[in-house]
Amino acid sequence: MAYIAPIHRPSSIKHAILLSFVSPEEDHLVVAKANRLELYSQSEDGISLLHAQTIFGKVTMLNKFRQQISKTDHLFVGTDKQAYYTLSWDAEKKRMRTEKSYVDLAEKTFRDNQTGDRSHITPDGKYMTLELYEGVVTVVPFIQRAKKIPEAEIGTLGEHTQTRIPELFVHSSCFLYPRRSPGKNDKPKMALLYEDSQSQKRLKIRELDYSAGVPGSDEPGVAEMEHDTNLGKELDRGSNFLVPVPAPAGGLLVLGEVQIRYFNEETGEGVIQSLDEATIFVAWARIDSQRFLLADDYGRLYLLMLVLGEQQEVEGWQIHILGETSRANVLVYLDAGRLFVGSHQGDSQVLKIEVENIEVIQTLPNIAPILDCAITDLGTRTGEGQTSEFSSGQARIITGSGAFKDGSLRSVRSGVGLEDVAVLGNMGRDLASVTNIFSIRSEPDSGGVDTLLVSFINETAAFRFQGDEVEEFDNLKGLQLSESTLLARNLKSSRIMQVTSIEVRISDIESGMVQSSWRPQNNQSITDVSATDDHVLIAVDGVQLILLENDNGNLRESAKRDFGADTQIACLTISDLLPDTCIVGFWQNSTISILKLTDLETLQSEQISEEGLSVPRSVLISQVLEKQPPTLFIAMADGNVVTFIVDVQTSALSGKKSILLGTQQASFRELPRGNGVSAVVATCEHPSMIYSSEDRIVYSAVTAEDVSYLCHFDSPAFPNAVAIATKEDIKISIVDTERTTHVQTQAVNETVRRIGWAVEAKAFGLGTIKRELKDGYELVKSHFKLVDEVAFEVLDTYALNEEELVESVMYAELNDGTGELADHFVVGTAYLDEDESQSDAIRGRILVFELTQERKLKLIAEKSLKGACRCLAMVGDKIAAALIKTVVIFGFEYETPSAPFLRKLCSYRTSTAPIDIAVTPGDNQIAIADLMKSISVVQYKPGFTRAASNTSSTDTLEEVARHYQTTWGTAVAHVGENTWLEADAEGNLLVLSRDINGVTEDDRRRLQVTSEMNLGEMVNRIRRIDVGVGNDAGVVPKAFMATVEGSIYLFALISPSKQNLLMQLQARLAEFVQSPGHYEFNKYRAFKNLVREAEEPQRFVDGEFVERFLDCAPDVQMQCVEGLGVGVEDIKEIAPAMNAQSLRQRRPQASRREDSSDDAKTPMPLMTDQKPKSQWLVFAIASGGCAALNGVFAKLTTTAMTSSWASTIASGFGLSPDNSFIDVLVRASMFGLNLLFNLIMWTLFTRALTLATSTTRVSILNTSANFLLTAVLSLLVFSETLPPLWFVGAALLVGGSVIIGAREEDGKGGGGLERDVGDAESIGEEGVGEIGLDGLEGGEQEIGIVGRGEGKYTDEPRPGDART
């Protein structure tokens, strides 16, 4: 079963509107990003996000209107699901509220509008028109004031009606503004710019004639679009937009490529002016009745101003270029000269329009459309298809985003961001010798820290901050600056403590004099130190532990303990959180000890690493979780960080966990977060911040990769900042409070169509396309560029031939002619001017570049093709190329050591055209995504080795499996054993599996759909990832998906033990959670294409939707979990892990509520069970006991003993011993108890099945408890003695159950399903991972499609299936 979660939400903006949505006094901007609506408020600095809401459908149009009784505007929204609704602002709940909704306004036979959905409102505000289908206009009237019409309904949308028009291919339309106050009989006029059957652009004016239906009846109104008027018989072929002109001029403008025309609809006269330079207009916005803003396809912004005559008629216009912006999809004029530019292929912007120019005052990043992406790991140098052994969030997704001049490389990563606010530089010193940094307050009234101490190997530098100035001091407040500093901190009563290797010193801030000092005896050295306001804990020469007490500034020795040379101290800590104890780590045996502070005697010891292979090197106690016990952090020498829960009362350690952050030991620093809670920064080669989020510990990467040392630096000039020391400079930064997704941009100004990553060379190979407009002609050039992976500096460029475009790029390690492997890039191309009349024409090439030691490109081989090379992949040491109709295997061979060439070995012809290919790692199987016919799987079988001169080949490509449905594929990836993920052009995702053990050949050749859903966005690229997970992971990440709308999703497979729970939880949430418009979640995510339409998603879980459980009211949460076998708190543990930010984190291997970030390893949530493992035992035994009691009461209902008891009870009440009523009453009570314990027994038994990992174990334990208790109760209640043969029989029954259960579990392969297609058959190899499903341990309930018998598949309803 499959799972998705967004890592980066859609950022493309195609629709936006300005309206008074929140208050009547202020205009707000609403933008649509795929399936998200975002509400922005305005300010002088631009716009700020006020509210965002996800809807079930991709937004296709926006409009606004105001209801009669409303003080604010209502928002009309149309989606691609044929769902349309109006929204208003709920001031109390601070969210959008649905007023009315409509679904499916047309018949299924209508053809969608080829130029997009459009919505218009007539100038008089009486009607709204929708253009959804070709040749059809839907008219929706606004309810007008009339008798029997409630006041609340006036101004709302009424019943719609449809009317047909003969104009099919309409490019643009609009209602014309009336030149004067409309009369009673005046009808709204709609202008239509359409294309006729001769591909000529035409302009026609039609009048809307609407007749309302009879009030109170079910008959809708009737609309007609008649009385047409033809204008402009010969329009510019490039005419694309109509711009209505308000009064007093009226009429409309037609925007063309070479000219702009104005038409007076009343007289039919027009004015024509040619443009100075041909262009393509793509968007417009109105400033007032005479000024308009226009945007073209090349990112230029124009100001058009109408020139009016004395009679207010249009005589001409002036047009000026204001400047360049992102290529606009929508323009919205805000106010005061500010303009919003919404873009699909570039960053959206807020501009300030000034005289003759523009200024960008705000940029909204946009990574759409993502044409290609690469998964990189700068920390461990792992790439796609490799498993990282450790990381803390250094993984990046490099995307090729945008188009043409807006083209760019984007680096997307998740982590805690650091924003540099001041850089001090290296201050004339070698910062590689920095040993630590500290922040102190050197003035009593400074209001915060003002001095930064930088400790070097042989000295300490002091820098005081005074406003924006920084000054270095040679002497400061009695500090010893000629020695390296181990610790520096402020004490109460305006004192400073400094600890060096030879001395502990306390200085007075006001006088600057040394108040007290302490030195070790016999010139010994201080090797480690930790301090509070009242105590200083010191390690001397690593073998002696000394506790100093600070008595009002006077140091005195209060305790000492010698450990000897065989027990050396590795690290230590003391904290006010544990006032009576300290913690010490030792080199020997990898142990830590909790010591009593009064005499330093050991209270408890704990071995951290098995067999003592790793040593604790740093320890820290911190209050990370609010209202919970403090946490002990231990940094091991091998890069592990181990945590314990510390009991404040007993100092006992519990809840051990471990997380691997790198290969080097980490050092800890606390960052206060308020309310007594702190965050902890662990600095190593992969710096991480450890903080609390939703009552659990989160380990998240820090975006700065070169942090050597860090300390808190809360100064008046830089509040809540941190000081950072790197090998190059010292800087002051502001750190984020939690992990977010960070996007870095490197402008390329060309379309980055393909990306290849050379891991060892630390460079990207980019296939780019550049477009220029010169003398009215569009010139297109294509290049292959080598770019540095860090600085994005262009290292080398290779220009392709004229009219040749790059189609594919692949990095490969190929033979260098000596038998050694070397770095190469393989590039596939296509030519634009394909001459079909020449069958032997060259229409593409494969180029092989060698990457030299100087990181330059050297073309060493070239292969001419008769078709475009769409994509490339490596099959072993062979090159697989998807051409225009075939997939070909090429061998990279050498005639001489310096003359390589490509030799065709074999080919496979696809159904239509290959779009993408995916090679199974470690195998020679190739999955081919076809343009129309879904995917096919072929097996490459190498033949005998032959000489290079022999052109014959016995190599073959044999089709072994195929998906027989019609699907317009866009991308494919191998995600599991015999399992593939496919995306199509209509936004669907399919998981396809092959049954290699099928009974017939057809069974083995047919790819079965095991999961499917509608994503709502077209996926351009799927990148496979390999993640090593724990044995009890619930979700195993398998791939990243990049979409046209700028989204990045994580795809994962769910382990069988969690499938039923998550499917049922999603189904329950779908009943209660509603989106604006009240469109059903199941319909929203249901598979849909032109061939078929499902009712609900099949075996797919939407992680973002599951997370919305946290937003539900408590009573709704209770209803959602009812019958699931878990509680609300258990689901609250799961829900945060369902978002992709949590999936991009690595969590410790234990049971406490913690998680961590492990981005370099790829996103994965690692959580473990919070329930006690033995809880099911209690329920199983209790259910067996209730079964025994059930039998006792059943027997007492009929036995004579009950009559004796009834006689005794009757006599007790002074009644006759033979009273029949009492006898019946007692027997009825026994029967009632029989039913009650029967009910309790089944409830407990079901609960045990839910919690246990094996149903067989529950049955065995239940039966055994039943038999044993039955024997005991028979003796106690009925005085029955059981013969030995009864015990023999009971033992045989229990033993047989154990044997059968063991055989069943062995057949299941360790507790999994015998064959679960939905799990893609990958769990058996990698284990049930340890991902994001804390506190849940479901039973072995089979759901969905389960293999039976001899490999045949059935799809029967089952009790555990969430769909039944």
Side-chain angles (χ1 to χ4, degrees):
M1 192 175 77
Y3 164 90
I4 61 164
I7 291 173
H8 185 275
R9 290 188 171 91
S11 54
S12 165
I13 298 178
K14 298 179 181 178
H15 306 278
I17 192 171
L18 187 70
L19 71 168
S20 301
F21 192 64
V22 176
S23 66
E25 297 82 15
E26 183 181 2
D27 288 336
H28 289 79
L29 179 69
V30 174
V31 303
K33 297 180 179 179
N35 67 330
R36 285 174 60 84
L37 289 176
E38 295 183 351
L39 178 66
Y40 289 87
S41 60
Q42 299 184 60
S43 65
E44 291 295 329
D45 299 328
I47 58 176
S48 57
L49 183 63
L50 185 65
H51 176 72
Q53 200 155 345
T54 301
I55 62 176
F56 293 160
K58 182 179 177 181
V59 177
T60 58
M61 55 186 173
L62 297 174
N63 214 326
K64 66 176 180 179
F65 65 91
R66 181 166 296 191
Q67 194 175 339
Q68 182 75 22
I69 63 172
S70 176
K71 296 181 180 180
T72 57
D73 292 333
H74 286 199
L75 178 67
F76 177 81
V77 181
T79 70
D80 63 341
K81 300 296 182 181
Q82 289 78 47
Y84 312 90
Y85 40 87
T86 60
L87 304 176
S88 64
W89 181 252
D90 191 329
E92 294 183 0
K93 297 182 179 180
K94 303 295 182 182
R95 58 183 299 136
M96 298 178 183
R97 175 177 55 205
T98 303
E99 298 291 340
K100 278 194 174 184
S101 61
Y102 302 83
V103 178
D104 197 14
L105 299 181
E107 301 174 9
K108 299 292 184 181
T109 56
F110 288 165
R111 186 169 62 181
D112 290 341
N113 199 339
Q114 300 300 302
T115 56
D117 297 346
R118 287 184 293 273
S119 170
H120 301 296
I121 295 179
T122 58
D124 58 8
K126 292 183 178 180
Y127 310 102
M128 174 188 287
T129 61
L130 305 177
E131 298 172 58
L132 312 174
Y133 306 94
E134 289 190 353
V136 177
V137 176
T138 301
V139 180
V140 186
F142 289 95
I143 298 177
Q144 304 298 314
R145 186 179 299 276
K147 294 182 179 179
K148 299 183 180 179
I149 299 296
E151 189 75 15
E153 293 189 12
I154 298 175
T156 62
L157 294 176
E159 292 296 326
H160 71 277
T161 186
Q162 293 173 339
T163 181
R164 290 184 176 271
I165 57 175
E167 296 77 28
L168 298 180
F169 199 1
V170 178
H171 285 267
S172 181
S173 61
C174 66
F175 279 103
L176 301 182
Y177 291 99
R179 300 172 182 272
R180 53 191 173 273
S181 298
K184 184 176 181 181
N185 296 324
D186 289 343
K187 300 174 182 178
K189 295 181 179 180
M190 173 179 276
L192 302 170
L193 177 64
Y194 67 99
E195 185 176 323
D196 63 14
S197 59
Q198 304 301 320
S199 298
Q200 294 288 336
K201 295 291 178 65
R202 305 287 184 182
L203 178 62
K204 183 172 290 187
I205 307 295
R206 289 185 175 274
E207 291 185 351
L208 172 59
D209 186 5
Y210 180 82
S211 300
V214 179
S217 66
D218 296 332
E219 295 183 6
V222 178
E224 297 291 341
M225 302 288 292
E226 298 295 341
H227 306 292
D228 57 296
T229 303
N230 290 310
L231 298 174
K233 295 183 179 179
E234 296 295 334
L235 295 178
D236 182 359
R237 283 181 177 269
S239 300
N240 286 321
F241 284 95
L242 298 180
V243 180
V245 179
L252 76 159
L253 296 169
V254 181
L255 305 182
E257 291 185 3
V258 297
Q259 62 185 15
I260 297 177
R261 293 192 178 197
Y262 168 80
F263 287 98
N264 186 321
E265 80 283 4
E266 293 185 348
T267 64
E269 298 178 355
V271 180
I272 303 176
Q273 281 188 206
S274 298
L275 298 171
D276 295 336
E277 185 178 13
T279 189
I280 302 172
F281 292 109
V282 293
W284 65 273
R286 180 169 61 90
I287 300 178
D288 52 33
S289 61
Q290 287 185 248
R291 294 180 299 169
F292 301 86
L293 294 167
L294 310 178
D296 69 4
D297 194 39
Y298 304 95
R300 293 176 297 198
L301 185 66
Y302 300 79
L303 174 64
L304 183 146
M305 185 170 63
L306 298 178
V307 178
L308 304 182
E310 295 181 357
Q311 303 298 324
Q312 299 297 315
E313 75 279 5
V314 175
E315 294 182 347
W317 50 85
Q318 297 177 351
I319 187 168
H320 305 283
I321 297 179
L322 296 176
E324 287 197 358
T325 69
S326 299
R327 195 272 191 192
N329 283 79
V330 59
L331 297 179
V332 179
Y333 184 75
L334 302 175
D335 60 8
R338 292 195 301 271
L339 175 71
F340 174 75
V341 179
S343 179
H344 168 66
Q345 64 186 45
D347 291 336
S348 296
Q349 299 168 321
V350 179
L351 309 176
K352 176 70 174 179
I353 302 175
E354 299 176 349
V355 180
E356 300 295 331
N357 69 340
I358 55 177
E359 176 189 358
V360 178
I361 60 177
Q362 186 179 3
T363 299
L364 280 68
N366 170 35
I367 67 173
I370 302 176
L371 304 180
D372 200 1
C373 63
I375 313 301
T376 70
D377 185 342
L378 302 184
T380 58
R381 318 303 311 164
T382 61
E384 180 181 351
Q386 295 177 292
T387 301
S388 170
E389 296 180 356
F390 65 87
S391 185
S392 180
Q394 301 305 317
R396 298 189 183 194
I397 303 176
I398 305 298
T399 67
S401 301
F404 302 119
K405 84 174 193 65
D406 296 314
S408 62
L409 280 177
R410 307 289 177 120
S411 172
V412 183
R413 64 186 301 187
S414 175
V416 176
L418 287 176
E419 180 185 356
D420 296 339
V421 294
V423 179
L424 279 65
N426 58 16
M427 298 165 296
R429 289 178 169 83
D430 180 14
L431 297 184
S433 62
V434 172
T435 60
N436 217 329
I437 58 176
F438 307 93
S439 62
I440 61 173
R441 186 180 69 255
S442 62
E443 295 295 336
D445 54 352
S446 61
V449 299
D450 55 13
T451 301
L452 181 66
L453 298 181
V454 182
S455 175
F456 295 88
I457 296 176
N458 297 316
E459 63 172 337
T460 299
F463 302 93
R464 179 183 289 178
F465 289 73
Q466 296 178 341
D468 295 334
E469 298 181 357
V470 181
E471 182 180 1
E472 182 176 1
F473 284 80
D474 295 330
N475 297 288
L476 182 68
K477 304 298 182 181
L479 298 179
Q480 179 64 274
L481 299 182
S482 60
E483 295 287 340
S484 178
T485 299
L486 299 178
L487 175 67
R489 58 166 293 169
N490 285 100
L491 302 176
K492 55 189 177 181
S493 301
S494 298
R495 296 185 179 93
I496 301 175
M497 173 188 292
Q498 182 192 20
V499 181
T500 65
S501 60
I502 62 173
E503 183 183 31
V504 180
R505 176 179 294 189
I506 295 180
S507 304
D508 183 70
I509 292 179
E510 295 183 357
S511 64
M513 302 297 292
V514 177
Q515 187 170 349
S516 178
S517 65
W518 178 91
R519 287 174 176 260
Q521 298 177 356
N522 303 323
N523 295 322
Q524 293 176 307
S525 297
I526 299 174
T527 55
D528 203 355
V529 62
S530 178
T532 64
D533 281 342
D534 300 322
H535 296 90
V536 185
L537 187 64
I538 296 171
V540 178
D541 284 347
V543 296
Q544 190 178 62
L545 191 64
I546 298 176
L547 180 67
L548 302 179
E549 185 176 341
N550 174 20
D551 185 9
N552 196 24
N554 297 315
L555 293 171
R556 63 179 182 86
E557 188 176 310
S558 62
K560 180 192 295 186
R561 181 177 176 182
D562 292 322
F563 289 94
D566 57 342
T567 310
Q568 295 191 18
I569 300 171
C571 54
L572 53 83
T573 186
I574 186 173
S575 173
D576 289 328
L577 296 173
L578 300 177
D580 300 325
T581 58
C582 61
I583 298 179
V584 180
F586 298 96
W587 287 92
Q588 284 75 17
N589 299 323
S590 182
T591 59
I592 62 166
S593 297
I594 300 178
L595 308 182
K596 197 174 180 181
L597 206 58
T598 55
D599 53 10
L600 300 181
E601 291 299 319
T602 302
L603 297 176
Q604 177 187 351
S605 293
E606 184 84 21
Q607 184 172 354
I608 307 302
S609 175
E610 295 181 2
E611 302 177 0
L613 298 179
S614 185
V615 180
R617 296 296 291 121
S618 179
V619 289
L620 176 71
I621 299 173
S622 179
Q623 187 69 51
V624 177
L625 296 173
E626 188 175 3
K627 299 180 181 179
Q628 294 191 33
T631 304
L632 172 64
F633 295 92
I634 307 170
M636 308 298 289
D638 59 1
N640 272 291
V641 172
V642 181
T643 63
F644 287 92
I645 303 171
V646 183
D647 190 309
V648 178
Q649 302 297 328
T650 64
S651 300
L653 302 180
S654 62
K656 178 182 177 182
K657 292 189 176 184
S658 177
I659 174 70
L660 188 62
L661 294 185
T663 58
Q664 303 173 6
Q665 66 192 46
S667 60
F668 300 121
R669 278 297 179 87
E670 276 191 295
L671 299 181
R673 304 186 74 181
N675 298 325
V677 177
S678 300
V680 176
V681 176
T683 55
C684 56
E685 75 268 36
H686 300 306
S688 297
M689 191 170 86
I690 310 168
Y691 63 97
S692 63
S693 177
E694 296 169 344
D695 294 331
R696 68 188 194 281
I697 294 179
V698 176
Y699 290 69
S700 182
V702 176
T703 56
E705 302 165 10
D706 52 355
V707 177
S708 300
Y709 296 94
L710 177 148
C711 70
H712 191 231
F713 195 79
D714 187 11
S715 66
F718 308 106
N720 296 319
V722 293
I724 296 175
T726 70
K727 294 181 179 180
E728 288 78 25
D729 51 30
I730 293 178
K731 50 192 176 183
I732 308 298
S733 304
I734 300 297
V735 61
D736 292 342
T737 58
E738 60 183 10
R739 177 185 56 247
T740 57
T741 298
H742 299 267
V743 178
Q744 295 178 333
T745 303
Q746 177 62 39
V748 180
N749 303 123
E750 299 180 29
T751 300
V752 182
R753 190 168 189 184
R754 294 293 180 261
I755 301 176
W757 183 37
V759 180
E760 297 300 329
K762 302 179 182 179
F764 293 111
L766 306 181
T768 67
I769 300 175
K770 184 177 182 179
R771 183 181 67 172
E772 294 178 325
L773 191 64
K774 188 174 183 180
D775 299 330
Y777 290 92
E778 192 176 86
L779 303 179
V780 178
K781 299 179 181 179
S782 192
H783 304 86
F784 178 65
K785 298 184 177 184
L786 187 67
V787 178
D788 182 80
E789 73 170 19
V790 178
F792 293 115
E793 174 189 0
V794 177
L795 304 174
D796 199 5
T797 300
Y798 179 86
L800 300 183
N801 296 334
E802 187 177 352
E803 299 294 325
E804 185 181 21
L805 300 181
V806 65
E807 287 280 351
S808 54
V809 171
M810 176 184 68
Y811 165 77
E813 292 183 335
L814 301 176
N815 185 3
D816 63 356
T818 65
E820 300 294 329
L821 296 179
D823 292 339
H824 292 77
F825 279 104
V826 185
V827 179
T829 72
Y831 282 93
L832 289 176
D833 56 344
E834 295 185 357
D835 189 355
E836 297 293 340
S837 63
Q838 300 180 12
S839 59
D840 58 346
I842 297 176
R843 296 171 184 170
R845 292 190 298 167
I846 296 179
L847 308 175
V848 181
F849 294 93
E850 179 184 352
L851 193 56
T852 66
Q853 294 292 333
E854 296 78 20
R855 296 206 293 180
K856 298 293 183 181
L857 296 173
K858 179 182 178 182
L859 181 63
I860 60 173
E862 174 184 344
K863 179 73 173 179
S864 298
L865 306 170
K866 295 183 179 180
C869 181
R870 300 299 186 192
C871 48
L872 295 162
M874 292 299 297
V875 184
D877 59 349
K878 305 298 190 297
I879 298 175
L883 308 183
I884 193 64
K885 294 181 180 179
T886 59
V887 174
V888 181
I889 300 295
F890 291 98
F892 185 73
E893 302 175 357
Y894 283 85
E895 289 182 335
T896 66
S898 60
F901 69 99
L902 294 174
R903 182 168 69 92
K904 180 179 178 180
L905 302 178
C906 55
S907 64
Y908 167 80
R909 188 176 181 88
T910 59
S911 299
T912 53
I915 298 299
D916 193 18
I917 58 177
V919 178
T920 303
D923 199 351
N924 289 336
Q925 282 190 352
I926 307 173
I928 305 168
D930 191 81
L931 177 64
M932 296 177 60
K933 296 296 183 180
S934 192
I935 71 171
S936 56
V937 180
V938 297
Q939 182 78 41
Y940 168 60
K941 297 181 178 180
F944 296 103
T945 303
R946 296 180 179 273
S949 60
N950 189 352
T951 57
S952 64
S953 174
T954 58
D955 296 29
T956 59
L957 278 176
E958 178 185 342
E959 181 179 302
V960 296
R962 173 182 290 274
H963 182 222
Y964 289 93
Q965 295 182 11
T966 299
T967 302
W968 294 69
T970 60
V972 66
H974 179 265
V975 294
E977 184 180 357
N978 296 310
T979 305
W980 292 267
L981 171 65
E982 181 191 12
D984 70 8
E986 294 170 276
N988 296 300
L989 296 177
L990 301 96
V991 180
L992 303 169
S993 292
R994 178 189 176 203
D995 182 13
I996 60 175
N997 298 318
V999 177
T1000 65
E1001 181 66 21
D1002 183 67
D1003 291 337
R1004 294 188 290 271
R1005 288 180 56 87
R1006 185 178 299 273
L1007 293 178
Q1008 301 285 350
V1009 178
T1010 58
S1011 300
E1012 65 178 17
M1013 69 167 291
N1014 184 267
L1015 184 64
E1017 303 175 50
M1018 189 175 81
V1019 175
N1020 261 345
R1021 188 65 63 197
I1022 304 175
R1023 290 299 185 194
R1024 177 179 176 273
I1025 55 176
D1026 287 331
V1027 176
V1029 298
N1031 293 328
D1032 57 346
V1035 180
V1036 183
K1038 290 296 182 181
F1040 288 122
M1041 302 180 296
T1043 74
V1044 173
E1045 301 296 332
S1047 300
I1048 301 176
Y1049 291 91
L1050 172 71
F1051 172 84
L1053 297 177
I1054 305 176
S1055 62
S1057 62
K1058 306 298 189 295
Q1059 291 178 3
N1060 195 37
L1061 172 69
L1062 291 179
M1063 285 296 296
Q1064 288 187 344
L1065 176 60
Q1066 179 173 267
R1068 292 287 182 82
L1069 284 172
E1071 299 176 7
F1072 298 101
V1073 176
Q1074 293 182 336
S1075 76
H1078 301 160
Y1079 195 78
E1080 294 182 14
F1081 170 79
N1082 286 334
K1083 289 185 178 180
Y1084 165 56
R1085 286 304 190 194
F1087 179 94
K1088 181 182 180 181
N1089 62 13
L1090 296 176
V1091 178
R1092 68 182 180 91
E1093 182 176 352
E1095 293 296 326
E1096 61 182 1
Q1098 177 186 345
R1099 296 169 65 81
F1100 243 111
V1101 172
D1102 186 337
E1104 185 180 27
F1105 180 70
V1106 171
E1107 187 189 5
R1108 297 179 67 175
F1109 175 86
L1110 301 176
D1111 300 328
C1112 296
D1115 58 330
V1116 174
Q1117 292 178 345
M1118 290 296 296
Q1119 295 180 63
C1120 288
V1121 302
E1122 185 177 350
L1124 297 184
V1126 294
V1128 171
E1129 293 302 321
D1130 296 321
I1131 300 299
K1132 286 183 178 181
E1133 297 281 344
I1134 299 174
M1138 291 296 100
N1139 65 56
Q1141 294 296 343
S1142 295
L1143 288 173
R1144 291 176 61 82
Q1145 67 194 22
R1146 186 161 186 247
R1147 296 180 180 159
Q1149 315 279 332
S1151 60
R1152 190 181 174 190
R1153 292 163 54 182
E1154 295 189 13
D1155 62 316
S1156 63
S1157 183
D1158 193 358
D1159 286 347
K1161 196 169 184 178
T1162 63
M1164 50 184 256
L1166 293 177
M1167 301 175 64
T1168 55
D1169 285 334
Q1170 305 299 313
K1171 270 188 207 336
K1173 296 293 185 181
S1174 59
Q1175 189 174 4
W1176 67 273
L1177 294 171
V1178 178
F1179 288 106
I1181 295 173
S1183 64
C1186 290
L1189 291 173
N1190 171 41
V1192 170
F1193 289 116
K1195 187 172 183 178
L1196 288 174
T1197 305
T1198 58
T1199 185
M1201 181 183 296
T1202 308
S1203 299
S1204 176
W1205 289 358
S1207 298
T1208 304
I1209 294 173
S1211 300
F1213 284 98
L1215 302 176
S1216 172
D1218 298 329
N1219 191 302
S1220 60
F1221 176 77
I1222 297 298
D1223 185 73
V1224 172
L1225 182 62
V1226 172
R1227 291 183 185 276
S1229 301
M1230 297 301 169
F1231 183 72
L1233 291 172
N1234 169 35
L1235 297 178
L1236 176 62
F1237 277 93
N1238 187 39
L1239 177 63
I1240 296 175
M1241 181 271 293
W1242 280 111
T1243 301
L1244 296 175
F1245 185 70
T1246 304
R1247 179 64 172 168
L1249 290 175
T1250 303
L1251 295 177
T1253 58
S1254 170
T1255 57
T1256 306
R1257 296 174 183 175
V1258 175
S1259 300
I1260 293 172
L1261 199 59
N1262 173 276
T1263 304
S1264 302
N1266 187 3
F1267 280 0
L1268 293 176
L1269 193 57
T1270 297
V1272 173
L1273 291 176
S1274 297
L1275 179 63
L1276 295 179
V1277 178
F1278 301 105
S1279 301
E1280 295 178 352
T1281 56
L1282 299 176
L1285 190 60
W1286 184 93
F1287 291 99
V1288 173
L1292 290 175
L1293 286 174
V1294 173
S1297 299
V1298 172
I1299 294 173
I1300 294 174
R1303 291 182 58 187
E1304 287 180 354
E1305 293 200 353
D1306 290 341
K1308 290 181 181 179
L1313 296 180
E1314 181 177 355
R1315 180 165 183 80
D1316 188 5
V1317 181
D1319 191 46
E1321 305 173 65
S1322 64
I1323 302 301
E1325 180 177 327
E1326 298 185 14
V1328 181
E1330 191 186 19
I1331 296 190
L1333 301 168
D1334 255 359
L1336 299 173
E1337 193 172 351
E1340 297 175 323
Q1341 302 181 23
E1342 301 173 324
I1343 67 172
I1345 305 176
V1346 179
R1348 291 185 174 186
E1350 299 177 332
K1352 295 183 179 180
Y1353 291 112
T1354 60
D1355 193 3
E1356 302 175 357
R1358 304 179 64 83
D1361 194 337
R1363 293 176 295 162
T1364 59

